[in-house]
């Protein structure tokens, strides 16, 4: 769930010769086209004033997902007066385009030395492109479902990736880091399982798989160094690591976490190393990483939408928990720009968080977390 | 007619006594700095002060205010020189900004009751939701404002 802090809202004035909108939109061109269509006027007669967003995280971009635009135009036409439409939080939660619920089944073979020989990845889940932009499908397939997997940086001698598109009646949409958000969880949790099976340190296991890839090694090493990988931690605190490239930016995160007597998860520290190619404003990058970690951690701990009798059960912050200030971990950012091509910084900080956390929880409890959110898991201290 | 004192000025508003203060501020008086996020006292986007105490305006009927003095983000300091405003700028706290008026009002009320809050005090007092994840900077900015 996106649950941007501002619920969807828009202002519309329809007159004889003009349709005017004040819209918090991530895609004003689409807003304009949608308004023209809804008002049955030429796009030249529509004017869109873009306001501050109140948070987007993907919800206010794709034309299909901007369903509040035709809705407001229709109301303004019907009442013959300017209209301000503001969704309640319950409408905002229940009429969304959700993060695709996906599943994966992986098998791999290691040789006697623990080196990876081959990896078979099988994915199933609904396609965002199918819901929001069918034109993006290629021969009916959504290649973006394999984001972060088809192009993974690890040296895997033999790899086979299958994807079964399974669309349901639940509309899906873009969510911060899109398919990387689930794929990195699958990939990096499994890499950890392989390291464990090979009886190797999870950082060193990744190092070996990235030996051919100096740009990736630099980020992995920077995070491990800053985190003090291998050094003693306070009693009860354990580390996990995860590595991912998304939107041209390479990221490694090391999470320090503990599980208390009641099975509650506490995240104390997150070290994030990032190579976005170039750094213009390090302060903004730090803020985006902090934000991506909060977003990823909220989802890993609490993010769950359930459907009952055809309807979303959750409605507001009382039944959909959010991370708050008291649970904010210490975040340390190391930027290692390589001078390679420019990558993004808003989304890439999110995908490694859930697997790094769950890998830390494995170290803490011996329990391998294979499904999220964590609130549904029974954890016990080792 | 209901009489209200907001940001030091008297207003008379012709509204239903049950109307939440949030909507009187926003829709009747045009003070749109106070935000709506949930309507059930969960997120703090609507935080204002009533006689110096931080309250959630979305669940506060306007008739319950009586003679109390209401302070909104617009009245915190007109020229941005309140220590909280200064610290918020110095730490570049806001991202989308939507939760920030509520955060700042919650922080200002905390600093009035506890001029030098500990981390535990901040954890307890700042229960506002920030979906953009500015919590680390909110904490830093409150500590800076306390030193100012
Ligand atoms: S709108 Fe009042 S607490 Fe959320
Ligand atoms: S700055 Fe966006 S919700 Fe807090």
């Amino acid at each position: 769930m996106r649950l941007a802090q501002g619920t969807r809202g828009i202002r519309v004035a329809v007159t004889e010769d003009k349709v005017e909108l004040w819209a918090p939109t991530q895609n004003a061109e689409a807003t304009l086209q949608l308004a023209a269509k809804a008002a049955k006027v030429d796009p030249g007669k529509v004017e869109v004033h873009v306001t501050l967003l109140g948070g987007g995280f993907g919800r206010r971009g794709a034309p299909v997902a901007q369903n509040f635009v035709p809705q407001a135009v229709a109301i303004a036409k019907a009442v013959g007066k300017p209209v301000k439409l503001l969704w309640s939080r319950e409408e905002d939660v229940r009429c969304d385009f959700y993060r695709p619920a996906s599943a994966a089944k992986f098998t791999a073979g290691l040789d006697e030395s623990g080196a990876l020989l081959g990896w078979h990845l099988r994915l199933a889940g609904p396609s965002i492109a199918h819901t929001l932009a069918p034109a993006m499908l290629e021969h009916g397939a959504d290649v973006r479902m394999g984001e972060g997997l088809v192009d993974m940086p690890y040296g895997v001698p033999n790899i086979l990736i299958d994807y079964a598109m399974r669309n349901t009646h639940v509309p899906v949409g873009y969510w911060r880091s899109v398919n990387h958000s689930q794929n990195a969880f699958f990939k990096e949790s499994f890499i950890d399982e392989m390291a464990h099976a090979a009886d190797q340190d999870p950082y060193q296991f990744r190092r070996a798989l990235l030996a051919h890839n100096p740009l990736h090694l630099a980020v992995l090493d920077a995070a491990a160094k800053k985190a003090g990988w291998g050094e003693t931690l306070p009693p009860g605190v354990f580390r996990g690591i995860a590595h991912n490239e998304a939107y041209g930016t390479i990221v490694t995160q090391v999470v320090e976490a503990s599980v208390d007597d009641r099975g509650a998860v506490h995240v104390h520290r997150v070290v994030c190393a990032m190579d976005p190619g170039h750094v213009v404003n390090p302060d903004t990058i730090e803020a985006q990483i902090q934000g991506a970690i909060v977003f990823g951690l909220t989802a890993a701990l609490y993010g769950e939408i359930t459907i009952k009798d055809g309807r979303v059960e959750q409605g507001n912050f009382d039944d959909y928990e959010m991370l708050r200030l008291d649970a904010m971990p210490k975040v340390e950012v190391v930027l290692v720009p390589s001078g390679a091509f420019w990558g993004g910084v808003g989304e890439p900080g999110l995908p490694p968080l859930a697997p790094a956390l769950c890998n830390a929880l494995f170290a803490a409890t011996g329990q391998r977390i294979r499904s999220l959110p964590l609130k549904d898991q029974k954890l016990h201290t080792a | 007619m209901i009489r209200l004192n907001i940001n030091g000025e008297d207003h008379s508003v012709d509204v239903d006594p049950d109307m939440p203060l949030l909507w009187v501020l926003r829709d009747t008086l045009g003070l749109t700095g106070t935000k709506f996020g949930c309507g059930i006292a969960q997120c703090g986007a609507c935080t204002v002060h009533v006689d110096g105490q931080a309250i959630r305006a979305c669940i506060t009927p306007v008739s319950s205010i009586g003679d109390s003095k209401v302070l909104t983000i617009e009245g915190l300091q007109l020229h941005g020189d309140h220590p909280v405003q200064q610290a918020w700028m110095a730490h570049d706290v806001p991202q989308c900004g939507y939760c920030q008026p509520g955060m700042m009002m919650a922080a200002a009320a905390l600093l009035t009751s506890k001029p030098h809050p500990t981390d535990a005090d901040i954890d307890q007092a700042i229960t506002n939701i920030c979906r953009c994840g500015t919590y680390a900077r909110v904490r830093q900015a409150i500590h800076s404002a306390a030193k100012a």
Side-chain angles (χ1 to χ4, degrees):
Chain A
M1 266 311 288
R2 251 162 249 97
L3 284 141
Q5 192 56 52
T7 60
R8 268 143 283 197
I10 188 167
R11 256 196 310 151
V12 180
V14 180
T15 55
E16 280 288 290
D17 45 30
K18 198 172 180 187
V19 177
E20 213 170 352
L21 301 98
W22 290 261
T25 171
Q26 285 176 272
N27 180 348
E29 294 84 351
T31 309
L32 189 141
Q33 294 292 343
L34 286 166
K37 201 163 151 227
K40 298 197 180 65
V41 299
D42 184 86
K45 297 225 156 118
V46 181
E47 192 172 349
V48 178
H49 307 272
V50 178
T51 68
L52 291 173
L53 268 182
F57 314 117
R59 175 60 174 92
R60 308 175 206 253
V64 178
Q66 289 194 37
N67 46 8
F68 50 96
V69 174
Q71 180 191 19
V73 171
I75 296 169
K77 277 189 75 169
V79 302
K81 286 204 169 90
V83 160
K84 182 172 86 178
L85 175 75
L86 181 69
W87 284 18
S88 68
R89 174 60 63 193
E90 288 77 7
E91 287 170 303
D92 202 71
V93 169
R94 293 184 179 140
C95 308
D96 208 348
F97 292 75
Y98 303 91
R99 183 183 180 196
S102 309
K105 189 169 184 182
F106 294 170
T107 40
L110 307 172
D111 71 12
E112 273 141 39
S113 73
L116 178 57
L117 292 173
W119 188 352
H120 185 190
L121 302 90
R122 306 185 68 205
L123 301 167
S127 153
I128 296 169
H130 181 268
T131 303
L132 295 184
M136 277 163 53
L137 298 175
E138 291 165 35
H139 306 294
D142 179 0
V143 292
R144 286 172 184 79
M145 289 305 302
E147 262 180 342
L149 301 177
V150 293
D151 48 353
M152 74 165 84
Y154 297 121
V156 187
N158 300 288
I159 188 162
L160 174 65
I161 302 179
D162 299 326
Y163 164 56
M165 193 191 288
R166 290 289 177 265
N167 298 312
T168 71
H169 59 292
V170 180
V172 294
Y174 300 118
W175 186 90
R176 196 169 187 170
S177 82
V178 195
N179 295 305
H180 283 285
S181 75
Q182 70 268 15
N183 288 348
F185 173 66
F186 299 148
K187 166 174 67 78
E188 290 301 306
S189 300
F190 193 70
I191 289 272
D192 234 63
E193 294 206 34
M194 287 197 262
H196 186 70
D199 203 17
Q200 289 180 21
D201 173 86
Y203 160 52
Q204 293 300 337
F205 189 78
R206 286 175 175 82
R207 278 204 103 243
L209 286 172
L210 293 172
H212 63 290
N213 205 327
L215 286 183
H216 279 264
L217 264 188
V219 181
L220 186 76
D221 287 344
K225 183 162 175 241
K226 177 81 179 177
W229 187 267
E231 287 168 23
T232 315
L233 284 165
V237 179
F238 294 85
R239 282 193 193 93
I241 190 167
H243 179 83
N244 196 61
E245 175 175 349
Y247 313 116
T249 292
I250 305 168
V251 182
T252 306
Q253 286 177 0
V254 177
V255 167
E256 291 175 14
S258 61
V259 179
D260 70 21
D261 313 339
R262 294 172 301 112
V265 173
H266 301 272
V267 181
H268 308 284
R269 179 181 182 221
V270 182
V271 170
C272 179
M274 178 182 273
D275 171 15
H278 300 265
V279 169
V280 178
N281 184 340
D283 190 61
T284 294
I285 298 178
E286 183 198 66
Q288 284 299 310
I289 290 173
Q290 289 169 337
I293 286 168
V294 171
F295 214 82
L297 188 50
T298 304
L301 292 171
Y302 313 117
E304 183 174 55
I305 287 290
T306 50
I307 314 275
K308 192 172 173 213
D309 299 333
R311 176 175 186 263
V312 169
E313 291 188 285
Q314 293 73 19
N316 207 323
F317 296 124
D318 56 342
D319 52 20
Y320 194 104
E321 187 52 45
M322 292 281 132
L323 194 87
R324 296 176 197 244
L325 185 140
D326 62 348
M328 177 72 196
K330 186 171 178 212
V331 173
E332 291 169 44
V333 173
V334 200
L335 298 177
V336 281
S338 58
F341 196 69
W342 299 80
V345 298
E347 301 184 271
L350 190 147
L353 192 277
L357 169 59
C358 292
N359 293 341
L361 296 178
F362 175 75
T365 66
Q367 285 168 268
R368 189 55 80 178
I369 311 293
R370 291 206 181 88
S371 89
L372 295 173
L374 287 162
K375 75 177 175 65
D376 298 339
Q377 302 281 337
K378 287 246 170 314
L379 291 164
H380 39 73
T381 39
Chain B
M1 280 292 194
I2 293 174
R3 285 171 52 83
L4 288 171
N5 184 284
I6 298 166
N7 301 334
E9 275 178 40
D10 287 324
H11 297 266
S12 291
V13 289
D14 185 9
V15 297
D16 191 307
D18 287 342
M19 188 166 173
L21 175 64
L22 169 63
W23 300 110
V24 177
L25 293 172
R26 288 187 57 86
D27 289 354
T28 312
L29 297 170
L31 293 168
T32 54
T34 308
K35 303 298 182 195
F36 164 76
C38 68
I40 55 166
Q42 282 283 326
C43 76
C46 63
T47 306
V48 299
H49 296 183
V50 173
D51 288 340
Q53 300 281 335
I55 61 113
R56 297 196 166 170
C58 66
I59 53 146
T60 305
V62 62
S63 55
S64 72
I65 302 296
D67 294 334
S68 297
K69 290 189 176 1
V70 178
L71 187 75
T72 71
I73 188 73
E74 287 89 349
L76 189 62
Q77 256 309 335
L78 230 39
H79 302 292
D81 41 14
H82 188 282
V84 165
Q85 292 167 321
Q86 294 287 328
W88 246 245
M89 285 188 274
H91 289 274
D92 255 328
V93 176
Q95 291 192 27
C96 83
Y98 196 87
C99 73
Q100 299 294 335
M103 281 282 186
M104 294 171 76
M105 295 308 281
L110 169 64
L111 288 163
T112 308
S113 66
K114 291 206 168 97
H116 298 285
T118 62
D119 277 335
D121 294 332
I122 296 173
D123 283 349
Q124 213 191 9
I126 308 297
T127 56
N128 304 42
I129 293 172
C130 173
R131 202 56 184 127
C132 297
T134 62
Y135 300 124
R137 292 184 181 203
V138 167
R139 184 190 300 283
Q140 288 172 341
I142 291 173
H143 285 309
S144 292
K147 282 187 207 119

